[in-house]
Amino acid sequence: MSNRFQPDRREFLQTTLATAGGAVLAGTEAPAAEIGGGVGSSEPIPRRKFGKQPDEISILGLGGFHLGKAASRGEAIKIAQAAIDAGINFFDNAWEYNDHVSEEWMGAAIADRRDKVFLMTKVCTHGRDKKVALKQLDQSLQRLKTDHLELWQVHEVVYDNDPDLHFAAGGVIEALDQAKQQGKVRYVGFTGHKRPELHLQMLSHDYPFDAVQMPLNCFDATFRSFQQHVLPEVNRRGMAALGMKSLSGDAQPLWHGVLRVEEALRYAMSLPVVTTISGIDSRVVLEQNLKIARGFQPMAEAERAALEKRCAVYAADGHFELYKSSVKYDAAVGREQHGYPTMEQMPL
């Protein structure tokens, strides 16, 4: 599906939320105060235990990629600090996001409130060795203005040979071990968005990962499903399951009227995950998501099943999960390291 004539994610959400002064959520007629089974501005954002660890994590996380797409550095700082003030404590990022801008802006935002944030960033070796990984870690720490991370994750396990490369002698897994030994990171994990089999291959090494991040939404339930194949195994091992891409990465299902934003987020947060990491690039989107997260009540099983059934026909060919079915979301650095042209180098 071409996005050429579609507005971008922020434009869409801000336009729809502007109606009635932001009191109506994107694509729905229901007032915000009625969504999610009785949300209210004074209710806290629930927290869940981080796998086997004692840390308590907000069920809504702030995504670093979209933070780096905010209108300005100053606006990104205001978004991040407003999120902290509202009770969001899980902050996601990656070494390569927006040519390092995401880490720089997040670092500026949390500098005076670091103790309120469970901070995660990702290492982007894409098959390169331990030395590259540890260098990236020091760069990330410098940009994030901190001396440690709560969570450091291997980014974007999406190529067939990634598990072998990561676990090879001198690879990134050894960097995870060394970083923990040095006290620079507390917990470690990995992420990916392409195929559940690759996550299972990573887990088959029986390495003691603390967390695993994956795309989880109502389309994933019936198409190359991480929910069906990876999530149960992660939970069985007592690891922290981290969900992402609740709006399919670009909100296209909302734009096409397939589902409403509160349905998408409530569905994702109702799964057995620690947190759902959400792309938030404006304070309008932040307030929208906070209204859903405050006082959150999970979907009933029947409601979840009905939404899965409704979305199954749209999920069948992967056009609402292009990170699985195309190269659209594959990072340029990763493609270069694996010998593939970047999106910019590919012919139209």
Side-chain angles (χ1 to χ4, degrees):
M1 175 180 298
S2 171
N3 296 327
R4 183 179 176 187
F5 299 109
Q6 300 292 357
D8 67 19
R9 178 180 178 283
R10 181 172 67 236
E11 178 187 346
F12 165 63
L13 290 175
Q14 288 184 335
T15 299
T16 51
L17 280 162
T19 306
V24 178
L25 292 180
T28 181
E29 297 297 326
E34 296 176 5
I35 291 168
V39 299
S41 60
S42 61
E43 294 188 67
I45 297 175
R47 296 192 173 189
R48 294 170 179 161
K49 190 178 176 184
F50 185 73
K52 296 177 181 178
Q53 308 303 332
D55 307 75
E56 296 286 332
I57 306 301
S58 56
I59 64 169
L60 181 66
L62 181 73
F65 179 82
H66 285 90
L67 186 70
K69 294 292 186 183
S72 66
R73 180 180 185 273
E75 182 63 14
I77 291 172
K78 290 176 181 177
I79 293 166
Q81 293 183 345
I84 295 170
D85 293 344
I88 294 176
N89 72 339
F90 189 94
F91 275 40
D92 156 280
N93 223 310
W95 176 88
E96 64 192 330
Y97 281 168
N98 298 301
D99 293 326
H100 317 306
V101 165
S102 288
E103 287 188 335
E104 291 170 357
W105 288 1
M106 185 173 285
I110 68 174
D112 64 348
R113 54 196 77 193
R114 176 67 181 88
D115 60 336
K116 296 182 178 180
V117 173
F118 188 99
L119 183 61
M120 179 269 279
T121 199
K122 309 179 194 84
V123 57
C124 306
T125 53
H126 299 291
R128 288 171 289 179
D129 63 18
K130 168 184 171 182
K131 291 181 180 179
V132 173
L134 293 173
K135 182 178 179 180
Q136 288 187 0
L137 175 59
D138 288 339
Q139 292 168 340
S140 290
L141 292 173
Q142 182 177 13
R143 287 192 286 264
L144 290 164
K145 300 185 185 302
T146 186
D147 61 359
H148 74 283
L149 302 171
E150 275 66 44
L151 176 61
W152 195 37
Q153 299 200 99
V154 180
H155 189 215
E156 202 178 67
V157 179
V158 299
Y159 298 95
D160 289 345
N161 62 346
D162 276 346
D164 290 340
L165 290 171
H166 296 329
F167 279 96
V172 69
I173 298 300
E174 292 186 10
L176 301 186
D177 289 335
Q178 183 169 326
K180 287 185 77 171
Q181 292 166 4
Q182 293 175 337
K184 293 183 178 181
V185 305
R186 292 177 61 200
Y187 307 124
V188 296
F190 72 92
T191 82
H193 57 250
K194 190 68 70 176
R195 298 203 328 269
E197 307 94 272
L198 295 175
H199 273 52
L200 294 176
Q201 286 178 37
M202 291 288 287
L203 292 171
S204 72
H205 288 266
D206 291 326
Y207 181 83
F209 290 111
D210 299 291
V212 180
Q213 187 169 327
M214 67 198 88
L216 293 168
N217 56 60
C218 52
F219 302 99
D220 169 80
T222 56
F223 178 74
R224 300 180 188 175
S225 180
F226 286 82
Q227 178 188 149
Q228 300 299 328
H229 300 294
V230 179
L231 186 58
E233 181 63 16
V234 169
N235 284 319
R236 185 186 72 80
R237 293 172 181 245
M239 298 171 179
L242 312 176
M244 62 178 171
K245 302 191 185 304
S246 59
L247 304 185
S248 297
D250 57 8
Q252 285 298 310
L254 279 66
W255 179 249
H256 290 280
V258 174
L259 79 168
R260 303 187 305 273
V261 67
E262 82 278 7
E263 290 179 311
L265 269 178
R266 284 189 63 223
Y267 179 91
M269 291 192 292
S270 296
L271 297 174
V273 298
V274 173
T275 190
T276 297
I277 299 162
S278 180
I280 297 172
D281 50 15
S282 73
R283 280 176 283 177
V284 173
V285 175
L286 174 62
E287 284 303 317
Q288 165 199 264
N289 292 1
L290 287 173
K291 287 174 182 176
I292 299 168
R294 288 181 176 126
F296 174 74
Q297 295 296 321
M299 279 185 171
E301 186 174 342
E303 187 180 4
R304 251 178 54 191
L307 185 58
E308 289 171 0
K309 183 177 180 180
R310 197 178 90 207
C311 291
V313 65
Y314 300 101
D317 65 355
H319 72 278
F320 282 147
E321 290 192 281
L322 293 178
Y323 40 85
K324 293 179 183 177
S325 58
S326 76
V327 301
K328 179 179 178 181
Y329 289 84
D330 296 354
V333 177
R335 292 188 62 79
E336 290 169 353
Q337 292 305 313
H338 285 80
Y340 297 110
T342 65
M343 289 294 291
E344 291 74 16
Q345 295 168 335
M346 293 175 69
L348 297 177

